[in-house]
Amino acid sequence: MSMRELVVLGTASQAPTRARNHNGYVLRWDDEVILFDPGEGSQRQLLHTGVTATDLTRICVTHFHGDHCLGLPGTIQRLSLDRVPHPVAVHFPAGGADYFARLRHASSFHETAELAVEPIEADGQRIELRHGTLEARRLRHPVETYGYRLLEPDGCRMLPERLAAYGIAGPAVGELHRTGHLDLDGRRVTRDEVSVRRPGQRFAFVMDTGLCDGVYALAEHADLLVIESTFLESEAALAAEVGHLTAGQAARVAAESGVRRLVLTHFSQRYADSVRFADEARRHFDGDLVIAEDLATVQVPPRRVPSAE
């Protein structure tokens, strides 16, 4: 049975707090288990979840500021310690290759795990997965930074009443779905005549950035958008100066991009009360809103139900 959900390892920006671990997120997407931006403590946070190092199939790093990558040494070494039997792909900004090399070999260990190192070298770069496409888009931050989104191809939903009208049932339905057409009594029935398009699901991950085209490209029609909201509007000038978003800006992006479920995270340690982020976001976004908490699990919303009209 397929599973699509986000597991939050940590929600703090820059420095952890007593209540928030450094950044870290795991996306379960069918047979892919993707670790995003493992900050300090991510390996230990995994122990509090149902995710193990052996589950991981891919690691995605947005940029090489410490709160987004200092968990890499321990995570990579754990892959070898647990003798993970499958290759684990690793994506990160190509300009940070030296940082990755140093983090990968930060201390002495016996490396047995196989890492498939695939840096992101260009805006819009795509990686084909079994159940979708992983796309990277350039963001606006003082260092080279990319956000990621996972796109499932559109499918179709067969309409029982239209199938019945043509007398199509049983194995013939599967054949029609696979081949796109079926010949019946001298008449060709196409898949389009008996089905409607089913939009594929979309997941987006947007970390440290100011507002830019890449933010909107990633967020467009996302079923689940995980986005940084480091500051509140009272620090909007500071946010713009250091390349971050406020909760209000993140919420406006979600509203303008048709996001279904919005997850705000990456909170500055100056704020002890996360309710303030919800209050600010609600002024701009009336959809499904989640203020991320450490060790929480957030489901990817079910697929949109296509209309038969």
Side-chain angles (χ1 to χ4, degrees):
M1 182 176 179
S2 65
M3 177 185 296
R4 295 184 178 180
E5 65 181 17
L6 178 80
V7 180
V8 180
L9 303 181
T11 57
S13 71
Q14 193 175 51
T17 71
R18 292 183 180 182
R20 299 178 185 139
N21 196 75
H22 253 172
N23 243 1
Y25 312 86
V26 173
L27 176 69
R28 297 182 187 266
W29 188 279
D30 301 341
D31 58 350
E32 288 277 352
V33 181
I34 306 174
L35 174 62
F36 288 92
D37 279 6
E40 252 181 289
S42 289
Q43 182 184 182
R44 186 174 185 277
Q45 292 295 90
L46 282 172
L47 296 176
H48 295 290
T49 73
V51 183
T52 69
T54 303
D55 294 327
L56 299 179
T57 60
R58 197 171 301 270
I59 300 171
C60 293
V61 176
T62 60
H63 65 295
F64 285 101
H65 278 156
D67 52 328
H68 298 260
C69 68
L70 287 178
L72 276 173
T75 300
I76 290 173
Q77 292 184 30
R78 187 60 182 264
L79 296 175
S80 286
L81 179 66
D82 291 357
R83 297 188 178 277
V84 172
H86 53 263
V88 176
V90 187
H91 309 291
F92 53 84
D98 287 346
Y99 291 120
F100 176 75
R102 290 196 288 268
L103 289 165
R104 180 177 183 176
H105 298 290
S107 66
S108 176
F109 72 105
H110 180 51
E111 186 172 31
T112 62
E114 180 183 349
L115 297 186
V117 179
E118 302 175 24
I120 302 301
E121 298 179 338
D123 183 29
Q125 184 170 327
R126 293 188 165 212
I127 298 102
E128 294 302 322
L129 311 181
R130 208 159 76 92
H131 295 286
T133 300
L134 185 67
E135 180 182 0
R137 296 303 300 262
R138 185 71 183 258
L139 298 175
R140 184 169 65 81
H141 201 53
V143 298
E144 184 182 4
T145 303
Y146 289 92
Y148 298 90
R149 68 172 177 170
L150 207 163
L151 306 171
E152 178 187 42
D154 291 345
C156 69
R157 182 172 71 90
M158 307 300 277
L159 300 173
E161 64 279 7
R162 295 188 187 175
L163 291 169
Y166 288 107
I168 302 172
V173 176
E175 182 182 350
L176 174 59
H177 193 280
R178 287 191 305 274
T179 64
H181 65 270
L182 199 64
D183 292 321
L184 295 173
D185 300 325
R187 189 203 187 288
R188 173 161 290 189
V189 179
T190 67
R191 185 170 50 209
D192 291 344
E193 292 177 272
V194 294
S195 68
V196 290
R197 185 180 69 88
R198 184 197 67 195
Q201 288 182 309
R202 297 185 175 197
F203 167 83
F205 186 79
V206 179
M207 282 297 118
D208 298 19
T209 183
L211 285 176
C212 62
D213 290 344
V215 171
Y216 288 96
L218 292 165
E220 182 182 13
H221 299 308
D223 294 284
L224 184 65
L225 168 64
V226 181
I227 187 169
E228 69 118 315
S229 57
T230 308
F231 297 106
L232 296 172
E233 289 291 343
S234 54
E235 281 75 44
L238 175 60
E241 178 183 344
V242 296
H244 281 291
L245 298 174
T246 67
Q249 286 175 322
R252 285 194 294 272
V253 167
E256 294 169 13
S257 302
V259 169
R260 296 177 65 201
R261 181 167 293 162
L262 169 63
V263 179
L264 297 184
T265 187
H266 194 269
F267 308 117
S268 168
Q269 65 268 28
R270 71 185 64 208
Y271 307 111
D273 185 4
S274 60
V275 173
R276 298 173 65 189
F277 289 88
D279 291 342
E280 187 167 290
R282 276 293 177 219
R283 297 175 201 149
H284 309 282
F285 180 73
D286 60 4
D288 192 348
L289 174 64
V290 177
I291 304 302
E293 297 180 357
D294 287 27
L295 305 180
T297 297
V298 183
Q299 301 297 320
V300 177
R303 291 184 181 89
R304 292 177 173 89
V305 177
S307 170
E309 297 178 358

